[in-house]
Amino acid sequence: MEKGINELKKVIIRAKRVTVLTGAGISAESGVPTFRGSGGLWRNYEVTDVATPQAFARDPKLIWEFYNWRRDLISKVTFNAGHKALVELEKHVNDFTLITQNVDGLHRQAGSKRLLEIHGNLWEVRCTKCGVVTMDRSKNMGQLPTCTACGGILRPNVIWFGESLNPDMIHKAIEASQNCEFMLIVGTSGIVQPAASLAFQAKAKGALIAEINIEQTPQSGHMDFVLTGPAGEILPMLVEDFN
Ligand code: OAD
């Protein structure tokens, strides 16, 4: 692993156009559970049981219970050394984009600016009737929150399975992936599209790609660098020479 890190540091220190994609693994050391793993995500539900428009239509109170649990949990945690290291990287690189699949807001809290939250943000709600989006940082939104403007049922303003990403957002994410010299993939299982294809789009355009994860993923075999270990330990090592 040591040799991999030193070679990767040389790549990063020279790179002018860097794109990073993060997933739930970067927030794991903050205490936010990842989506996939033994025992399911919440109670005995799998993420695909509670993060779909069909599940919300069937039982909005259950889905709000899940999101209230997440709101409460995430309100009690903070960013970690991995998030901070990406803020350092952003300061060092001319053309930098951080694409995250996470809705926890921890990258923004840490200070990342050039950020694309492609799956939305947990703290935003959207009216299912009039479509208005508002920010609400309540730890508990109640059983079935409604819109103050029109009385419609509110839903979390996040992307669920089967829903399309914001076209402008995904356009920017694809552009950042196709135009970078180096792409770093951190803490994602690499199985949810379209995020999972971004590293391949970068590589197809000639970028070097690297993965940081505590375990092998379906993408590991395609990487130029694979650094195995916790993001909160490896990312700070990558940026330690910047200051
Ligand atoms: P997953 O839960 O699928 O994967 C988390 C990844 O993080 C796994 O590959 C773990 O091995 C890795 N990991 C865990 N702890 C780590 C650590 N300390 N350091 C580095 N890696 C670590 O989460 P995502 O890939 O983010 O989307 O999931 C993608 C999307 O699926 C989510 O954004 C969400 C979910 O359904 C939607 O809700 C639409």
Side-chain angles (χ1 to χ4, degrees):
M1 188 175 87
E2 202 53 37
K3 187 163 178 279
I5 280 204
N6 288 334
E7 284 175 7
L8 190 51
K9 278 172 138 177
K10 285 183 202 151
V11 171
I12 292 180
I13 217 124
R14 283 193 224 109
K16 293 195 167 41
R17 298 188 313 279
V18 174
T19 296
V20 180
L21 170 70
T22 63
I26 194 164
S27 297
E29 289 154 85
S30 291
V32 183
T34 57
F35 290 96
R36 293 169 185 83
S38 57
L41 167 65
W42 174 62
R43 299 185 187 161
N44 282 326
Y45 294 100
E46 297 294 335
V47 63
T48 41
D49 297 332
V50 285
T52 68
Q54 292 80 6
F56 189 72
R58 201 166 44 237
D59 193 349
K61 287 186 184 169
L62 175 75
I63 305 311
W64 266 115
E65 210 181 322
F66 167 58
Y67 277 93
N68 283 330
W69 170 76
R70 293 187 72 193
R71 280 175 168 254
D72 184 58
L73 191 151
I74 291 165
S75 70
K76 291 177 182 148
V77 305
T78 189
F79 55 85
N80 64 53
H83 297 99
K84 274 315 271 181
L86 293 179
V87 177
E88 285 310 309
L89 186 58
E90 175 171 343
K91 286 185 198 155
H92 171 80
V93 176
N94 286 357
D95 190 346
F96 179 88
T97 306
L98 172 54
I99 305 165
T100 189
Q101 298 167 87
N102 300 345
V103 299
D104 56 30
L106 295 182
H107 282 302
R108 200 173 292 282
Q109 197 188 97
S112 287
K113 302 261 185 304
R114 283 174 273 167
L115 175 66
L116 298 174
E117 291 175 315
I118 59 171
H119 288 171
N121 187 299
L122 182 74
W123 303 111
E124 286 182 0
V125 290
R126 185 169 86 237
C127 177
T128 54
K129 201 166 155 200
C130 70
V132 72
V133 173
T134 45
M135 180 72 102
D136 190 326
R137 295 193 67 92
S138 308
K139 288 181 195 171
N140 187 338
M141 296 291 294
Q143 275 203 318
L144 200 55
T146 51
C147 175
T148 48
C150 77
I153 295 174
L154 295 177
R155 59 161 280 178
N157 194 31
V158 299
I159 306 291
W160 283 331
F161 283 97
E163 295 184 322
S164 305
L165 273 61
N166 173 306
D168 182 49
M169 192 86 86
I170 191 62
H171 175 77
K172 285 182 179 153
I174 290 171
E175 203 171 56
S177 306
Q178 293 187 343
N179 290 338
C180 67
E181 292 164 54
F182 171 64
M183 185 156 183
L184 183 58
I185 311 297
V186 185
T188 176
S189 51
I191 54 174
V192 175
Q193 295 295 353
S197 70
L198 294 174
F200 297 112
Q201 299 198 39
K203 189 163 184 167
K205 294 280 182 179
L208 289 173
I209 57 175
E211 178 182 71
I212 299 176
N213 201 302
I214 52 169
E215 59 189 30
Q216 297 280 303
T217 73
Q219 302 196 325
S220 304
H222 303 275
M223 295 287 154
D224 297 296
F225 299 85
V226 175
L227 301 183
T228 305
E233 291 176 22
I234 295 180
L235 282 168
M237 286 193 241
L238 287 180
V239 301
E240 68 192 355
D241 299 335
F242 288 171
N243 300 317

